[in-house]
Amino acid sequence: RIMYIGLMFLLSLFVIQCTVNGQQEVKNMDLKNETIRIATFAGGCFWCVESDFEKAPGVIKVISGYTGGTEPNPTYEDYYRSGHIEAVQVFYNPEKISYEQLLDIFWRHIDPTDPGGQFADRGPQYRSVVFYQNDAEKRIAEESKETLAKSIRFARPIATEILKLGRFYEAEDYHQDYYRKNPLRYKFYRSNSGRD
């Protein structure tokens, strides 16, 4: 009987732990799952890029961060000094959304003709970049960019770069899901940025 009570207690703890784990952000999921892939984009303010991608079906989560620079462990106060760019990593299920579809979302939410930043955010740390991880992503990104250029949708040439992804550094906690944590500040920033 004591053994039965002990077993029930352990089972209860296991159920509670599973429930807690299940309620944690997708941020803590096992990324070894083969149905999850990661794409990396820079399109100006990472708050806005994160928000735009997170609304897409098939996107599991989006992480804001810094990449492209020379110094390790950049912070928000100094990332631009070593050439880092504000970027996001998009964790997605390729069975629900393709890399090509992510590129379409990206092109719709940036100004790909602006080499000096994005909207109100100026400087090389805000320029638009598609970061590829392999030859397949590079080919798809280049074809997508070429299709956009040929569409004559824009009067100016496409300035978005396509670069090999280096180390990606996750931004500080307060930047993650900023649009959810600070909805009023985010809306004020976004409505005054010129992005919409």
Side-chain angles (χ1 to χ4, degrees), residues 8-75:
M8 292 307 293
F9 177 73
L10 288 174
L11 184 61
S12 298
L13 285 177
F14 176 75
V15 170
I16 290 168
Q17 185 62 41
C18 287
T19 303
V20 168
N21 287 342
Q23 292 172 347
Q24 288 178 345
E25 289 184 84
V26 184
K27 189 176 182 179
N28 297 324
M29 72 186 160
D30 181 8
L31 299 179
K32 293 177 183 172
N33 184 335
E34 289 179 18
T35 61
I36 298 169
R37 293 200 185 138
I38 304 170
T40 308
F41 303 96
C45 170
F46 48 30
W47 298 342
C48 297
V49 181
E50 179 186 44
S51 166
D52 292 333
F53 274 115
E54 283 196 342
K55 294 171 186 156
V59 169
I60 298 162
K61 69 172 180 173
V62 183
I63 300 292
S64 291
Y66 317 106
T67 191
T70 56
E71 295 296 321
N73 305 312
T75 67

Side-chain angles (χ1 to χ4, degrees), residues 139-189:
R139 178 185 51 77
I140 293 167
E142 286 174 344
E143 288 172 0
S144 180
K145 179 179 174 179
E146 188 177 334
T147 299
L148 186 65
K150 287 180 178 175
S151 72
I152 60 169
R153 184 174 156 197
F154 299 98
R156 297 184 299 168
I158 305 301
T160 301
E161 299 169 75
I162 298 174
L163 301 174
K164 176 82 172 160
L165 177 66
R167 177 84 184 267
F168 182 89
Y169 298 92
E170 191 170 322
E172 295 81 353
D173 225 28
Y174 66 91
H175 288 300
Q176 309 303 331
D177 292 315
Y178 189 87
Y179 72 103
R180 286 185 184 148
K181 295 175 183 172
N182 301 281
L184 293 177
R185 286 182 184 170
Y186 173 74
K187 284 177 187 174
F188 179 80
Y189 164 77

